[in-house]
Amino acid sequence: PMLRYLVLIVIAGCAEPKSVLVHRPGDAHADAAVTAMWSSDIHDVARDGDWILTRSYYAMADVIASTSSTEALSHASIYDHEHDTVIESVGSGVREIPLAQLVDRNHYVIVVRPSGMTAAQQKQALARARTKIGAAFDRTGMIGLHDDPDKFYCSELVWWASFGDAPHPRVIEPASLIDHGTVIYWSGKRTDEQVMRIALDHADRRAELH
């Protein structure tokens, strides 16, 4: 697994191969409806500083998820409710993107509220994460080698923003963050028939209202 991890990290510098384990729905309309429904759901239930844990459609996600000791998750980000955005660290570095853009690239989404933090403390965590926008991605830290304090991989950024320098495993797996919070939202899988049916129903109702 470590060798595959290293190879995929190198590949990800110039391309993002697709997952071979999970796939998008064949119906593009249903696919878009799921993204819209999940984005709306998350905006309704999440608050500043909540963590958004996801499983994407990229090949690197296959490796991260398959080597995880718990839930098959591949990415972590931190939510900004006011702007409906997330702050995340990807191969190009730490950035802020619309929530819907994050949701659209994922097979499922989990929202976790960190334990022992007030809403005010979570806002402070979000502000800390924002100070690192533009920082480089921590490629060596993600595989347990040299940990550069000025660089961050996804779950490392979320941990640092929320808990500072509190002790943590050498490599912070996205899925391990669940142990430090409470799940407040689980999307279900994008290709579940029931999920797609509900999303299409929601899309039809929105269309009727407009």
Side-chain angles (χ1 to χ4, degrees), residues 43 48 79-85 123:
H43 184 73
D48 286 343
Y79 182 56
D80 182 329
H81 181 269
E82 179 182 356
H83 300 99
D84 208 27
T85 58
K123 282 182 176 290

Side-chain angles (χ1 to χ4, degrees), residues 100-116:
Q101 183 177 331
L102 172 79
V103 170
D104 185 63
R105 69 175 196 244
N106 284 287
H107 191 54
Y108 49 84
V109 182
I110 297 174
V111 180
V112 175
R113 182 153 296 159
S115 298

Side-chain angles (χ1 to χ4, degrees), residues 5 58 69 98 106 109 114 120 128 139 145 149 152 157 172-173 194 201:
Y5 219 154
Y58 299 135
S69 58
N106 284 287
V109 182
R128 280 167 58 86
R139 298 178 186 275
L145 298 178
F152 298 87
L157 174 68
I172 307 166
E173 297 177 354
Q194 184 178 21
D201 287 344

Side-chain angles (χ1 to χ4, degrees), residues 126-205:
L126 173 63
R128 280 167 58 86
R130 180 164 278 108
T131 66
K132 297 303 179 181
I133 290 176
F137 186 77
D138 189 1
R139 298 178 186 275
T140 55
M142 189 175 74
I143 56 175
L145 298 178
H146 174 65
D147 186 9
D148 188 327
D150 297 320
K151 299 179 181 179
F152 298 87
Y153 56 90
C154 66
S155 41
E156 180 183 34
L157 174 68
V158 169
W159 180 278
W160 176 83
S162 303
F163 302 134
D165 295 324
H168 58 75
R170 186 173 182 84
V171 176
I172 307 166
E173 297 177 354
S176 70
L177 292 171
I178 292 177
D179 297 332
H180 301 278
T182 301
V183 173
I184 62 171
Y185 177 77
W186 154 243
S187 66
K189 296 179 180 178
R190 187 179 288 267
T191 49
D192 285 351
E193 291 296 331
Q194 184 178 21
V195 169
M196 290 190 288
R197 184 170 62 252
I198 294 172
L200 287 169
D201 287 344
H202 284 194
D204 289 342
R205 287 199 292 272

